[in-house]
């Protein structure tokens, strides 16, 4: 589904930002060049390709979002004290926390260095506003997610949180592509509505995969969100709809780091109807997202339609 030539060009361009041979630069590219789907810059390029096809013009703005995304991952791993990501030890485990923090900061700075290559000053200003807004929303969403550890959010609060924490860095690259491609207001709004829906789906998919996915696919033990007590859409829905007995049992297991694998499996079974609820919501959102793309050429919009399907395909 993904164009391998474009993916290869992305990796080559990313490497250019970290050519210095130092502990800091090696730490910064440790995770960045370890793989990953590169879905964010790819979305930017595909949005741009709806109207234009000059890859060189869109590449740096598109990669700015990938740099920001990796900055958030480095800092997330420090906050969560995670040992592994993308099959490799996390940055702070290899280089120590002080260098890892600085490595994240360097990734953040390099994102704006990438934006400085935009020659059109009007477009550069618009893109800067989009990316800086996304950075603010990621911080707000991450904070909300942390605070939900001590309380049960409403479904509206949860949706607002994931639209910031995860959705912001899905929306931003698509809007950047629209800006660079000179999309009209109508076209930009259509792309925004598309991006809102697939951004939310992206997080819901991750939460579902934690419950019913494969450990190799998700890179962590299945059910780890149960052990950590994460308030996902399924948990919120379940606590609103379960019988009192099942609700009480779920709460006994949720957040119990010493729960057995059998108890985790029991909790996942209790969440069964809520998992189906989340799946149905994602399917509806995918249909809506693709509907917004119908103002564009059928062939040119297909990669964005395929990505919308790809996001939900791993949980069918």
């Amino acid at each position: 589904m993904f164009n391998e030539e474009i993916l290869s060009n992305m990796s080559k361009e990313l490497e250019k930002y970290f050519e210095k041979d130092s502990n800091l630069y090696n730490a910064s590219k440790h995770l960045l060049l370890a793989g990953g789907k590169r879905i964010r810059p790819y979305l930017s390029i595909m949005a741009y390709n709806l109207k234009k096809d000059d890859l060189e013009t869109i590449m740096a703005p598109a990669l700015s979002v990938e740099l920001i995304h990796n900055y958030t991952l480095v800092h997330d791993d420090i906050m969560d004290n995670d040992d592994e990501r993308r099959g490799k030890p996390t940055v702070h485990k290899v280089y120590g926390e002080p260098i890892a923090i600085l490595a994240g900061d360097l990734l953040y700075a390099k994102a704006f260095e990438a934006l400085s290559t935009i020659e059109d000053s009007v477009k550069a200003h618009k893109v800067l506003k989009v990316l800086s807004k996304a950075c603010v929303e990621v911080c707000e969403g991450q904070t909300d997610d942390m605070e939900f550890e001590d309380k049960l959010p409403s479904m509206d609060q949860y949706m607002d949180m994931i639209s910031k924490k995860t959705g912001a860095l899905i929306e931003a690259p698509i809007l950047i592509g629209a800006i660079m491609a000179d999309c009209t207001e109508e076209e930009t709004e259509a792309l925004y509505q598309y991006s809102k829906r697939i951004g939310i789906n992206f997080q819901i998919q991750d939460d579902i995969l934690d419950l019913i996915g494969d450990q190799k696919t998700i890179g962590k033990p299945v059910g780890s969100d149960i052990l950590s007590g994460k308030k996902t859409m399924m948990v919120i829905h379940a606590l609103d709809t379960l019988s009192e007995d099942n609700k009480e049992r779920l709460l006994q297991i949720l957040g119990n780091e010493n729960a057995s694998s059998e108890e985790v499996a029991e909790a996942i079974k209790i969440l069964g109807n809520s998992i189906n609820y989340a799946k149905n919501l994602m399917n509806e959102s995918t249909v809506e997202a693709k509907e917004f793309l119908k103002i564009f050429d059928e062939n040119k919009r297909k990669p964005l339609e395929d990505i919308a399907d790809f996001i939900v395909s791993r949980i069918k």
Side-chain angles (χ1 to χ4, degrees):
M1 183 184 69
F2 293 94
N3 184 303
E4 292 298 328
E5 184 178 354
I6 292 176
L7 294 176
S8 176
N9 285 338
M10 283 183 195
S11 295
K12 289 175 184 175
E13 289 301 314
L14 284 170
E15 288 176 13
K16 293 178 182 179
Y17 291 97
F18 301 94
E19 290 180 332
K20 288 185 181 179
D21 184 15
S22 72
N23 213 31
L24 173 63
Y25 277 74
N26 290 335
S28 294
K29 65 186 178 184
H30 174 81
L31 176 62
L32 181 69
L33 303 181
K37 292 183 286 292
R38 307 265 192 253
I39 194 168
R40 290 159 186 83
Y42 197 84
L43 280 167
S44 195
I45 292 169
M46 292 304 105
Y48 179 81
N49 283 351
L50 290 168
K51 301 287 291 286
K52 297 186 177 182
D53 59 8
D54 179 12
L55 187 60
E56 186 176 344
T57 299
I58 187 59
M59 183 61 77
L63 292 180
S64 69
V65 187
E66 183 71 3
L67 291 162
I68 292 291
H69 172 58
N70 278 267
Y71 141 73
T72 67
L73 297 182
V74 173
H75 283 196
D76 280 354
D77 288 340
I78 295 170
M79 286 188 285
D80 297 338
N81 197 30
D82 286 336
D83 294 335
E84 188 174 298
R85 185 182 287 275
R86 295 176 182 165
K88 295 181 66 172
T90 48
V91 178
H92 67 280
K93 290 297 179 182
V94 177
Y95 295 92
E97 285 191 11
I99 289 292
I101 291 169
L102 290 170
D105 293 344
L106 182 61
L107 285 160
Y108 182 87
K110 287 289 183 178
F112 292 95
E113 180 182 305
L115 294 189
S116 71
T117 65
I118 300 174
E119 294 181 358
D120 185 320
S121 60
V122 174
K123 288 182 180 178
H125 183 250
K126 289 180 179 179
V127 170
L128 178 63
K129 286 180 69 174
V130 166
L131 191 59
S132 57
K133 178 176 180 285
C135 291
V136 170
E137 290 188 346
V138 168
C139 293
E140 291 175 348
Q142 180 67 18
T143 302
D144 288 343
D145 194 24
M146 291 166 59
E147 291 178 350
F148 290 165
E149 292 175 8
D150 300 318
K151 67 177 183 181
L152 180 68
S154 68
M155 191 64 79
D156 285 345
Q157 288 173 323
Y158 167 83
M159 295 295 281
D160 182 63
M161 181 272 289
I162 65 171
S163 72
K164 291 178 176 179
K165 178 188 172 185
T166 303
L169 287 183
I170 297 292
E171 293 165 27
I174 294 172
L175 291 178
I176 288 171
I179 291 167
M180 297 301 296
D182 295 313
C183 284
T184 65
E185 285 188 20
E186 180 189 11
E187 290 167 339
T188 301
E189 177 64 20
L191 284 169
Y192 171 71
Q193 294 298 336
Y194 163 85
S195 69
K196 285 286 288 185
R197 285 157 178 78
I198 69 164
I200 287 171
N201 279 358
F202 203 87
Q203 182 60 57
I204 297 173
Q205 177 220 39
D206 278 354
D207 293 342
I208 294 176
L209 282 172
D210 181 84
L211 300 176
I212 62 173
D214 174 78
Q215 184 166 335
K216 288 184 178 179
T217 301
I218 63 178
K220 59 182 179 178
V222 173
S224 61
D225 285 351
I226 298 288
L227 298 174
S228 63
K230 189 173 179 183
K231 309 302 194 311
T232 63
M233 169 179 281
M234 287 76 72
V235 169
I236 297 167
H237 178 265
L239 293 177
D240 279 342
T241 57
L242 285 173
S243 67
E244 287 303 315
D245 286 349
N246 279 335
K247 186 186 299 184
E248 182 179 348
R249 182 58 180 147
L250 178 61
L251 289 171
Q252 287 173 351
I253 301 170
L254 190 69
N256 177 10
E257 294 182 353
N258 297 316
S260 66
S261 57
E262 290 78 14
E263 288 175 316
V264 170
E266 181 185 355
I268 293 171
K269 185 176 180 181
I270 292 171
L271 289 170
N273 287 337
S274 297
I275 293 171
N276 288 331
Y277 166 82
K279 285 183 179 181
N280 290 335
L281 189 69
M282 287 180 65
N283 288 331
E284 290 170 7
S285 293
T286 301
V287 171
E288 290 175 2
K290 292 194 289 186
E291 193 68 28
F292 280 106
L293 295 177
K294 288 191 174 177
I295 65 171
F296 298 103
D297 176 84
E298 184 176 355
N299 293 325
K300 291 184 177 180
R301 72 178 187 242
K302 190 175 186 309
L304 291 174
E305 292 174 335
D306 289 344
I307 290 172
D309 289 330
F310 166 75
I311 288 172
V312 299
S313 65
R314 291 158 67 199
I315 60 166
K316 287 182 179 177

